[in-house]
mmCIF file of all heavy atoms in Angstrom:
data_model
loop_
_atom_site.group_PDB
_atom_site.id
_atom_site.type_symbol
_atom_site.label_atom_id
_atom_site.label_comp_id
_atom_site.label_asym_id
_atom_site.label_seq_id
_atom_site.Cartn_x
_atom_site.Cartn_y
_atom_site.Cartn_z
ATOM 1 N N ASN A 18 9.885 -18.943 -11.985
ATOM 2 C CA ASN A 18 10.567 -20.243 -12.043
ATOM 3 C C ASN A 18 12.051 -20.086 -12.373
ATOM 4 O O ASN A 18 12.563 -18.969 -12.525
ATOM 5 C CB ASN A 18 9.843 -21.191 -13.016
ATOM 6 C CG ASN A 18 10.121 -20.849 -14.484
ATOM 7 O OD1 ASN A 18 10.723 -19.834 -14.817
ATOM 8 N ND2 ASN A 18 9.670 -21.723 -15.374
ATOM 9 N N TYR A 19 12.741 -21.213 -12.491
ATOM 10 C CA TYR A 19 14.193 -21.210 -12.721
ATOM 11 C C TYR A 19 14.570 -20.565 -14.058
ATOM 12 O O TYR A 19 15.701 -20.141 -14.260
ATOM 13 C CB TYR A 19 14.739 -22.646 -12.662
ATOM 14 C CG TYR A 19 14.251 -23.510 -13.796
ATOM 15 C CD1 TYR A 19 15.055 -23.759 -14.916
ATOM 16 C CD2 TYR A 19 12.967 -24.066 -13.783
ATOM 17 C CE1 TYR A 19 14.593 -24.537 -15.968
ATOM 18 C CE2 TYR A 19 12.501 -24.830 -14.838
ATOM 19 C CZ TYR A 19 13.318 -25.064 -15.926
ATOM 20 O OH TYR A 19 12.861 -25.808 -16.980
ATOM 21 N N GLY A 20 13.597 -20.456 -14.977
ATOM 22 C CA GLY A 20 13.862 -19.835 -16.279
ATOM 23 C C GLY A 20 13.413 -18.384 -16.334
ATOM 24 O O GLY A 20 13.232 -17.829 -17.414
ATOM 25 N N ARG A 98 14.190 -18.605 -2.084
ATOM 26 C CA ARG A 98 13.206 -19.205 -2.999
ATOM 27 C C ARG A 98 12.365 -20.242 -2.246
ATOM 28 O O ARG A 98 12.733 -20.703 -1.169
ATOM 29 C CB ARG A 98 13.924 -19.851 -4.189
ATOM 30 C CG ARG A 98 14.470 -18.798 -5.162
ATOM 31 C CD ARG A 98 14.987 -19.400 -6.447
ATOM 32 N NE ARG A 98 16.180 -20.226 -6.258
ATOM 33 C CZ ARG A 98 16.768 -20.904 -7.235
ATOM 34 N NH1 ARG A 98 16.270 -20.865 -8.466
ATOM 35 N NH2 ARG A 98 17.840 -21.625 -7.003
ATOM 36 N N PHE A 110 6.304 -29.259 -6.770
ATOM 37 C CA PHE A 110 5.733 -28.609 -7.952
ATOM 38 C C PHE A 110 6.817 -27.846 -8.726
ATOM 39 O O PHE A 110 7.605 -27.110 -8.139
ATOM 40 C CB PHE A 110 4.641 -27.640 -7.478
ATOM 41 C CG PHE A 110 4.095 -26.719 -8.538
ATOM 42 C CD1 PHE A 110 3.629 -27.216 -9.746
ATOM 43 C CD2 PHE A 110 4.026 -25.351 -8.308
ATOM 44 C CE1 PHE A 110 3.109 -26.359 -10.705
ATOM 45 C CE2 PHE A 110 3.505 -24.488 -9.266
ATOM 46 C CZ PHE A 110 3.045 -25.002 -10.467
ATOM 47 N N GLY A 111 6.851 -28.033 -10.049
ATOM 48 C CA GLY A 111 7.830 -27.293 -10.838
ATOM 49 C C GLY A 111 7.607 -27.470 -12.331
ATOM 50 O O GLY A 111 6.600 -28.027 -12.768
ATOM 51 N N GLY A 112 8.572 -26.977 -13.108
ATOM 52 C CA GLY A 112 8.485 -27.113 -14.565
ATOM 53 C C GLY A 112 8.596 -25.780 -15.271
ATOM 54 O O GLY A 112 8.907 -24.760 -14.658
ATOM 55 N N SER A 113 8.313 -25.798 -16.570
ATOM 56 C CA SER A 113 8.417 -24.573 -17.359
ATOM 57 C C SER A 113 7.345 -24.569 -18.446
ATOM 58 O O SER A 113 6.791 -25.622 -18.788
ATOM 59 C CB SER A 113 9.802 -24.474 -18.011
ATOM 60 O OG SER A 113 9.985 -25.557 -18.903
ATOM 61 N N TYR A 116 4.655 -27.179 -19.406
ATOM 62 C CA TYR A 116 5.032 -28.477 -18.817
ATOM 63 C C TYR A 116 5.232 -28.341 -17.311
ATOM 64 O O TYR A 116 6.343 -28.354 -16.810
ATOM 65 C CB TYR A 116 6.282 -29.023 -19.513
ATOM 66 C CG TYR A 116 6.111 -29.158 -21.003
ATOM 67 C CD1 TYR A 116 6.620 -28.204 -21.874
ATOM 68 C CD2 TYR A 116 5.370 -30.212 -21.544
ATOM 69 C CE1 TYR A 116 6.427 -28.297 -23.250
ATOM 70 C CE2 TYR A 116 5.171 -30.320 -22.921
ATOM 71 C CZ TYR A 116 5.699 -29.361 -23.759
ATOM 72 O OH TYR A 116 5.482 -29.453 -25.117
ATOM 73 N N LEU A 117 4.116 -28.191 -16.615
ATOM 74 C CA LEU A 117 4.165 -28.080 -15.160
ATOM 75 C C LEU A 117 3.631 -29.365 -14.547
ATOM 76 O O LEU A 117 2.655 -29.931 -15.036
ATOM 77 C CB LEU A 117 3.303 -26.905 -14.681
ATOM 78 C CG LEU A 117 3.742 -25.500 -15.121
ATOM 79 C CD1 LEU A 117 2.712 -24.468 -14.663
ATOM 80 C CD2 LEU A 117 5.110 -25.152 -14.569
ATOM 81 N N SER A 118 4.284 -29.810 -13.498
ATOM 82 C CA SER A 118 3.754 -30.985 -12.793
ATOM 83 C C SER A 118 4.159 -30.904 -11.328
ATOM 84 O O SER A 118 4.998 -30.089 -10.941
ATOM 85 C CB SER A 118 4.286 -32.283 -13.408
ATOM 86 O OG SER A 118 5.657 -32.430 -13.073
ATOM 87 N N ALA A 121 7.826 -34.381 -8.636
ATOM 88 C CA ALA A 121 9.232 -34.584 -8.249
ATOM 89 C C ALA A 121 9.313 -35.057 -6.801
ATOM 90 O O ALA A 121 8.635 -34.530 -5.921
ATOM 91 C CB ALA A 121 10.011 -33.282 -8.425
ATOM 92 N N ILE A 124 13.760 -31.880 -4.290
ATOM 93 C CA ILE A 124 13.788 -30.496 -4.767
ATOM 94 C C ILE A 124 15.029 -30.285 -5.630
ATOM 95 O O ILE A 124 16.158 -30.434 -5.163
ATOM 96 C CB ILE A 124 13.827 -29.512 -3.571
ATOM 97 C CG1 ILE A 124 12.599 -29.700 -2.680
ATOM 98 C CG2 ILE A 124 13.912 -28.069 -4.067
ATOM 99 C CD1 ILE A 124 12.677 -28.983 -1.345
ATOM 100 N N GLY A 125 14.792 -29.967 -6.902
ATOM 101 C CA GLY A 125 15.891 -29.588 -7.792
ATOM 102 C C GLY A 125 15.675 -28.160 -8.254
ATOM 103 O O GLY A 125 14.734 -27.486 -7.818
ATOM 104 N N GLU A 126 16.517 -27.679 -9.144
ATOM 105 C CA GLU A 126 16.424 -26.310 -9.640
ATOM 106 C C GLU A 126 15.047 -26.032 -10.263
ATOM 107 O O GLU A 126 14.489 -24.953 -10.107
ATOM 108 C CB GLU A 126 17.546 -26.081 -10.664
ATOM 109 C CG GLU A 126 17.757 -24.635 -11.083
ATOM 110 C CD GLU A 126 18.168 -23.678 -9.961
ATOM 111 O OE1 GLU A 126 18.605 -24.141 -8.884
ATOM 112 O OE2 GLU A 126 17.992 -22.467 -10.154
ATOM 113 N N GLN A 127 14.464 -27.049 -10.938
ATOM 114 C CA GLN A 127 13.165 -26.856 -11.596
ATOM 115 C C GLN A 127 12.010 -26.686 -10.611
ATOM 116 O O GLN A 127 10.940 -26.219 -10.981
ATOM 117 C CB GLN A 127 12.861 -28.050 -12.507
ATOM 118 C CG GLN A 127 13.790 -28.165 -13.679
ATOM 119 C CD GLN A 127 13.079 -28.742 -14.913
ATOM 120 O OE1 GLN A 127 11.904 -29.069 -14.870
ATOM 121 N NE2 GLN A 127 13.804 -28.830 -16.015
ATOM 122 N N GLU A 128 12.237 -27.093 -9.356
ATOM 123 C CA GLU A 128 11.160 -27.025 -8.342
ATOM 124 C C GLU A 128 11.276 -25.770 -7.471
ATOM 125 O O GLU A 128 10.591 -25.660 -6.457
ATOM 126 C CB GLU A 128 11.173 -28.276 -7.456
ATOM 127 C CG GLU A 128 10.651 -29.530 -8.131
ATOM 128 C CD GLU A 128 11.610 -30.061 -9.191
ATOM 129 O OE1 GLU A 128 12.831 -30.122 -8.920
ATOM 130 O OE2 GLU A 128 11.133 -30.391 -10.292
ATOM 131 N N LEU A 129 12.149 -24.837 -7.842
ATOM 132 C CA LEU A 129 12.341 -23.646 -7.006
ATOM 133 C C LEU A 129 11.690 -22.419 -7.636
ATOM 134 O O LEU A 129 11.788 -22.194 -8.843
ATOM 135 C CB LEU A 129 13.837 -23.390 -6.787
ATOM 136 C CG LEU A 129 14.518 -24.445 -5.893
ATOM 137 C CD1 LEU A 129 16.007 -24.178 -5.804
ATOM 138 C CD2 LEU A 129 13.899 -24.454 -4.495
ATOM 139 N N TRP A 130 11.026 -21.630 -6.792
ATOM 140 C CA TRP A 130 10.276 -20.453 -7.238
ATOM 141 C C TRP A 130 10.711 -19.231 -6.432
ATOM 142 O O TRP A 130 10.712 -19.276 -5.197
ATOM 143 C CB TRP A 130 8.768 -20.667 -7.038
ATOM 144 C CG TRP A 130 8.222 -21.831 -7.805
ATOM 145 C CD1 TRP A 130 8.188 -23.136 -7.391
ATOM 146 C CD2 TRP A 130 7.660 -21.818 -9.119
ATOM 147 N NE1 TRP A 130 7.630 -23.924 -8.372
ATOM 148 C CE2 TRP A 130 7.290 -23.144 -9.447
ATOM 149 C CE3 TRP A 130 7.418 -20.806 -10.057
ATOM 150 C CZ2 TRP A 130 6.705 -23.487 -10.660
ATOM 151 C CZ3 TRP A 130 6.832 -21.146 -11.264
ATOM 152 C CH2 TRP A 130 6.481 -22.471 -11.564
#
Side-chain angles (χ1 to χ4, degrees):
N18 76 352
Y19 67 100
R98 287 189 293 177
F110 171 52
S113 62
Y116 304 100
L117 296 175
S118 72
I124 300 168
E126 191 62 17
Q127 294 213 359
E128 286 71 45
L129 291 176
W130 299 87

